[in-house]
Amino acid sequence: MPLVTTRQLLDEAAKGGYGVGAFNVNDMEQIQAIMEAAKETNSPVIIQASRGARKFAQDNYLYHLMLAAAELYPEIPLAMHLDHGNSFETCESAIKLGFTSVMMDGSLKPDGKTPATFEENVEITKKVVDYAHERGISVEGEIGVLGGIEDGHGAGGSGLDHVTDPDQAVEFAERTGVDSLAIAIGTSHGAYKFTKKPDGSVLKMDLLIAIHKRLPNTHLVMHGSSSVPKDLQDIINQYGGKLKETWGVPVEEIQIGIKNGVRKINVDTDNRLAITGAIRKVFAETPEKFDPRDYLTPARAAMQKVVAQRMTQFGQAGHAGDYKAISIADMAKGYASGSLVTKPLVTAK
Ligand SMILES: [Zn+2]
């Protein structure tokens, strides 16, 4: 299937009542792992690249690898998404390159560290939405500030420092016209999310439910949603790693989110852990090996296993063949005519 917009994938997910994993990539093996997992589970999928990934891989490599994925897996609906765009220019360059959706993270200033004001966030996000929609590209915004830091991006601190205010979420969605909205409900980026197993009181699921009630037509996005499974941590530590004990977001909590409007779930850390554990194991058990394929092959397989598992848990498995691609040109027409404009349809508080 040609690359499609995240908006189309999320509209379909909303109809089907499931979530779609958005998996971060930096290189060919990660893209291959995701596509094989999508094929194995018959899943639509979002592949996303951060500014750090674009710097690491270079835009042209990333874009052509994505095109190769679309070409090799014509049966899989695939969106190429920019994760955490920090400025209009970052989003514009991604769109010009061929990304089919972008995130404008206006919750932070362009330095990617300092929390921005609400008005600054509305202004920059609206600017990106206007530019993107004219070109048929969908946009994710963020309201509230996530905790932690990943790829040099993030305010740091706890995920509970700046949770999303539902009134602001409604006003933000109305004023910007974003297709999807990342909300802060206590999650953070990176591996060290929680120092004990989080329960419903640590993750503000009540807040998520309140936001969804008031914005039933806006697709919600959970960032920092790796589960950081203990078995993946253990493999790393068993073979010489030194990870401190940590907890991620339990899959059951994500599934509650999916029942309440969460359509896109960002996962990066779990795949990093799987890859690193597999490579460490080869290095430790067969130190005489030096062909990169000897450790990249099991690393890719380990990531594929995690991704396939998440696809099943999020409910996207089995849905790849449900629909036909809407072309980017037709998406642009839809935005222009108003038929794709997200109407917050605010319900009672
Ligand atoms: Zn994020």
Side-chain angles (χ1 to χ4, degrees):
M1 197 175 272
L3 293 169
V4 296
T5 61
T6 296
R7 170 64 187 272
Q8 188 190 359
L9 296 193
L10 302 189
D11 282 350
E12 292 292 341
K15 277 186 228 162
Y18 57 90
V20 181
F23 304 97
N24 286 75
V25 297
N26 302 279
D27 60 32
M28 181 182 76
E29 287 79 6
Q30 290 176 310
I31 294 174
Q32 290 173 328
I34 294 167
M35 294 313 294
E36 277 299 301
K39 185 182 171 187
E40 181 191 329
T41 59
N42 193 31
S43 299
V45 69
I46 300 163
I47 297 187
Q48 58 186 17
S50 64
R51 277 185 295 141
R54 290 174 67 186
K55 196 174 162 198
F56 173 82
Q58 292 190 34
D59 278 352
N60 289 28
Y61 281 116
L62 270 183
Y63 179 59
H64 287 275
L65 286 168
M66 295 284 191
L67 286 186
E71 211 175 288
L72 289 167
Y73 300 84
E75 72 284 16
I76 302 294
L78 165 64
M80 178 178 179
H81 178 75
L82 169 72
D83 194 19
H84 289 287
N86 64 320
S87 65
F88 177 80
E89 289 72 26
T90 302
C91 295
E92 181 188 37
S93 65
I95 292 168
K96 281 185 175 159
L97 181 69
F99 280 72
T100 53
S101 65
V102 294
M103 176 189 192
M104 176 61 229
D105 179 1
S107 73
L108 300 175
K109 289 181 186 286
D111 67 4
K113 291 179 175 63
T114 318
T117 66
F118 179 73
E119 287 302 323
E120 285 169 334
N121 192 358
V122 168
E123 191 188 332
I124 185 70
T125 305
K126 177 81 171 71
K127 189 178 170 187
V128 171
V129 167
D130 288 345
Y131 178 85
H133 283 184
E134 212 181 307
R135 290 157 180 80
I137 303 303
S138 55
V139 181
E140 173 182 332
E142 177 170 324
I143 183 79
V145 181
L146 284 137
I149 298 178
E150 193 159 43
D151 276 357
H153 183 102
S158 155
L160 293 169
D161 290 350
H162 306 274
V163 294
T164 303
D165 171 69
D167 289 329
Q168 278 199 343
V170 172
E171 190 184 339
F172 184 81
E174 278 179 326
R175 287 175 62 188
T176 61
V178 286
D179 299 276
S180 56
L181 188 57
I183 54 171
I185 54 164
T187 62
S188 1
H189 292 115
Y192 299 101
K193 299 181 195 300
F194 305 109
T195 50
K196 63 182 175 71
K197 187 174 179 182
D199 54 23
S201 64
V202 173
L203 281 171
K204 302 280 175 198
M205 299 312 284
D206 50 338
L207 186 58
L208 183 145
I209 292 165
I211 294 168
H212 177 54
K213 276 203 178 122
R214 299 185 56 195
L215 288 172
N217 297 330
T218 301
H219 306 307
L220 301 180
V221 183
M222 275 178 81
H223 279 242
S225 292
S226 275
S227 301
V228 199
K230 184 152 181 348
D231 58 331
L232 294 182
Q233 297 179 44
D234 286 347
I235 295 173
I236 292 180
N237 287 338
Q238 185 187 340
Y239 294 104
K242 281 197 169 62
L243 290 178
K244 285 176 281 177
E245 193 172 44
T246 177
W247 280 267
V249 180
V251 170
E252 312 86 72
E253 296 289 328
I254 296 172
Q255 288 168 333
I256 295 172
I258 292 169
K259 286 198 180 80
N260 291 284
V262 170
R263 297 292 159 235
K264 176 172 177 280
I265 306 103
N266 288 6
V267 175
D268 189 2
T269 297
D270 288 350
N271 294 325
R272 294 177 173 199
L273 293 172
I275 289 169
T276 300
I279 291 178
R280 278 193 175 279
K281 186 168 188 283
V282 174
F283 285 173
E285 287 180 345
T286 48
E288 71 282 5
K289 289 198 169 169
F290 60 88
D291 181 341
R293 289 171 297 187
D294 287 337
Y295 50 86
L296 291 179
T297 305
R300 190 171 58 187
M303 173 163 164
Q304 180 184 334
K305 194 176 155 199
V306 173
V307 172
Q309 203 177 26
R310 294 289 173 274
M311 286 170 160
T312 303
Q313 290 163 331
F314 298 162
Q316 74 209 79
H319 289 287
D322 291 0
Y323 47 93
K324 298 254 175 299
I326 300 174
S327 73
I328 303 298
D330 282 344
M331 289 297 291
K333 280 182 207 153
Y335 285 121
S337 72
S339 70
L340 278 174
V341 173
T342 314
K343 297 171 192 77
L345 224 174
V346 181
T347 54
K349 281 190 193 186

